Amino acid sequence: MSGGEGVRNPADLTELEADLAAIEAAIIIIDGLVDTIEAVTSALPTLSETGGTVTTDGTEQNIYINNVPLGIFNPICVKIDCTDHTATETIVLRVYYRIRVAGALILQDELTYAGLISPELINIDLEPNRFGVQVTIEKTAGTNRDYDWEVFYEI
Amino acid sequence: MARTFYDSLTLNDDIQLDLSMLEATGLITHDESRNHSMATLHGTILNPFWLQTTPGTYGLNMNWIYPTFDSEHYLDISAADCTNLDFTTTDYSLAVWFYWTDTGLSQVIMGKYIVSNCGWEVYVTKIGAAESVTVRHHHSAGATTRTGNYSLGWVTGEWHLFSYTRTGTTCQHYRDGEPITTVSDVLIDPESSIAEDFRIGCRYTEDANWFKARFHRPRAWSRALSADEHRLLFRLGYP
């Protein structure tokens, strides 16, 4: 084996160590940036949806409730399908908000629907909230019926 | 205002159940996946108790008065409303936050199954110092009635995120978003449990193996989540 320009002292890692230190410093900065980006993206609201079916029973029943939100969020609307509702039924829809920590859910709006509902799909607009929101249904006359519903919110 | 959309988050691709537990009250909790599978709370003595897990985040406390009384707390989704959880040949993934207390018995976290017949279940057990989470597939035919897998280190009295992915005949358990040692049989596809309810917190017969625990946000996907997605599940939020 002959010596030449390509031969290095394998024990001399000074340059390599300097590079590693620079890389480690860069990684720390990048980690910080990633955490910052994650904090920002985690705070972006996500438009979500859920729903179900309520079968009325003559009591006031929850359609949608977020009793203790994580913080400020944006409930957008509740849609209620009244296709099964007939001329003999009466329902009352109510919207409540809680506007202070540990306060009560306070009635803001109440709507009564007696007899046939047309068009069959009811939309209830909702407003920004921090401490709680609730939409209820109560059958006050007629037969118990199924009401499909869905809610949209940014959270 | 900038926003994201639930269905456009890659993590939510093929999500089949997401009980986000935003209600924080009442006897029904709703599903944010497109399946709208409503889970109903049950109990013979009182009901599962809504509790704050961290500021602004709620979960349920099950069988909290045990051992004074066996309060038989559980949740279920009717079979007709959980057909998308009938995992047989498909890969699937699961996730749930929980904080459990040992009762000396196996405790079913969740499942859609009949023992040694069909479906899948997840349960937690403490035997000696070994605190394990097990996932089992149930089979109705052949010499093997169950194939399963487990991981250790699921200590009582602490919140942890259990998540899981089944890929073909293999699987991987994750704790708090990180892969952990998983001991597994060669998994056989579970037989269809389409006629069974999905239950959280009890045996399929709804009469034993009560889950004495607090839990938050059970989720299920009809696909294998990647390791990065499991890590993301944890980073997205302590319960």
Side-chain angles (χ1 to χ4, degrees):
Chain A
M1 190 174 81
S2 61
E5 288 183 358
V7 176
R8 299 282 190 279
N9 178 356
D12 182 6
L13 302 176
T14 311
E15 262 187 60
L16 190 58
E17 286 169 352
D19 288 346
L20 278 176
I23 291 169
E24 283 172 2
I27 287 173
I28 290 170
I29 293 169
I30 292 167
D31 272 351
L33 291 172
V34 168
D35 287 347
T36 303
I37 293 167
E38 187 178 34
V40 171
T41 55
S42 296
L44 288 177
T46 301
L47 181 60
S48 301
E49 182 260 11
T50 189
T53 303
V54 172
T55 304
T56 54
D57 62 7
T59 68
E60 185 176 15
Q61 298 164 270
N62 285 337
I63 293 179
Y64 164 62
I65 185 166
N66 188 333
N67 198 39
V68 192
L70 175 62
I72 296 171
F73 81 115
N74 190 26
I76 296 171
C77 66
V78 168
K79 294 182 183 296
I80 304 166
D81 179 355
C82 299
T83 300
D84 290 351
H85 184 104
T86 73
T88 62
E89 273 88 55
T90 299
I91 56 171
V92 181
L93 302 178
R94 299 184 180 93
V95 181
Y96 300 82
Y97 292 92
R98 181 182 290 112
I99 61 168
R100 68 177 174 85
V101 173
L105 286 160
I106 306 296
L107 181 65
Q108 174 174 298
D109 203 1
E110 179 176 302
L111 290 164
T112 298
Y113 292 87
L116 282 174
I117 298 171
S118 181
E120 292 88 349
L121 196 64
I122 293 172
N123 182 75
I124 300 173
D125 287 333
L126 298 174
E127 296 165 352
N129 176 257
R130 191 174 206 173
F131 301 109
V133 58
Q134 179 184 33
V135 178
T136 68
I137 185 170
E138 180 179 0
K139 183 210 71 179
T140 56
T143 304
N144 295 330
R145 301 288 183 189
D146 290 341
Y147 297 83
D148 293 339
W149 62 273
E150 72 171 341
V151 59
F152 289 89
Y153 44 86
E154 291 176 337
I155 195 163
Chain B
M1 185 175 73
R3 67 166 68 87
T4 57
F5 299 93
Y6 183 91
D7 292 323
S8 52
L9 294 173
T10 306
L11 182 62
N12 292 335
D13 286 351
D14 297 322
I15 193 164
Q16 302 298 342
L17 180 74
D18 183 359
L19 299 178
S20 54
M21 308 181 85
L22 296 174
E23 297 84 357
T25 188
L27 297 179
I28 292 174
T29 187
H30 293 93
D31 173 18
E32 283 194 343
S33 85
R34 64 178 64 241
N35 298 322
H36 286 186
S37 303
M38 297 191 302
T40 303
L41 284 59
H42 300 276
T44 53
I45 301 174
L46 302 175
N47 285 299
F49 177 72
W50 287 96
L51 83 164
Q52 194 170 28
T53 54
T54 56
T57 305
Y58 275 71
L60 285 165
N61 193 355
M62 309 268 277
N63 300 295
W64 43 278
I65 48 180
Y66 181 94
T68 310
F69 300 105
D70 212 354
S71 41
E72 303 183 354
H73 292 167
Y74 69 99
L75 284 73
D76 70 355
I77 298 172
S78 70
D81 288 337
C82 64
T83 56
N84 291 292
L85 301 180
D86 182 30
F87 303 132
T88 54
T89 59
T90 183
D91 294 343
Y92 66 92
S93 300
L94 307 168
V96 62
W97 289 90
F98 71 95
Y99 175 115
W100 72 295
T101 302
D102 182 39
T103 60
L105 299 167
S106 297
Q107 301 177 31
V108 176
I109 300 176
M110 58 183 165
K112 180 176 168 64
Y113 72 105
I114 297 174
V115 165
S116 302
N117 184 283
C118 63
W120 57 273
E121 64 164 328
V122 185
Y123 65 89
V124 64
T125 311
K126 183 172 184 176
I127 300 174
E131 297 157 312
S132 60
V133 168
T134 301
V135 179
R136 285 199 300 197
H137 289 178
H138 293 278
H139 314 294
S140 58
T144 303
T145 53
R146 303 166 202 168
T147 51
N149 48 79
Y150 69 89
S151 57
L152 297 172
W154 297 94
V155 296
T156 56
E158 292 179 6
W159 277 105
H160 288 290
L161 172 65
F162 168 75
S163 59
Y164 171 84
T165 281
R166 176 260 175 121
T167 310
T169 58
T170 64
C171 65
Q172 179 65 55
H173 290 214
Y174 296 80
R175 179 165 42 245
D176 299 338
E178 298 300 329
I180 56 175
T181 301
T182 305
V183 179
S184 182
D185 297 327
V186 175
L187 293 175
I188 300 173
D189 295 340
E191 271 72 359
S192 171
S193 57
I194 200 161
E196 278 299 299
D197 291 354
F198 172 75
R199 299 176 182 87
I200 298 172
C202 70
R203 183 181 168 84
Y204 72 104
T205 45
E206 299 177 357
D207 60 359
N209 301 107
W210 307 105
F211 190 31
K212 179 173 172 48
R214 308 164 194 179
F215 75 96
H216 174 72
R217 201 169 189 178
R219 280 176 274 190
W221 296 256
S222 57
R223 68 178 175 93
L225 296 186
S226 69
D228 282 346
E229 288 175 312
H230 282 280
R231 191 170 296 115
L232 181 62
L233 278 175
F234 179 72
R235 289 179 71 102
L236 283 177
Y238 192 71

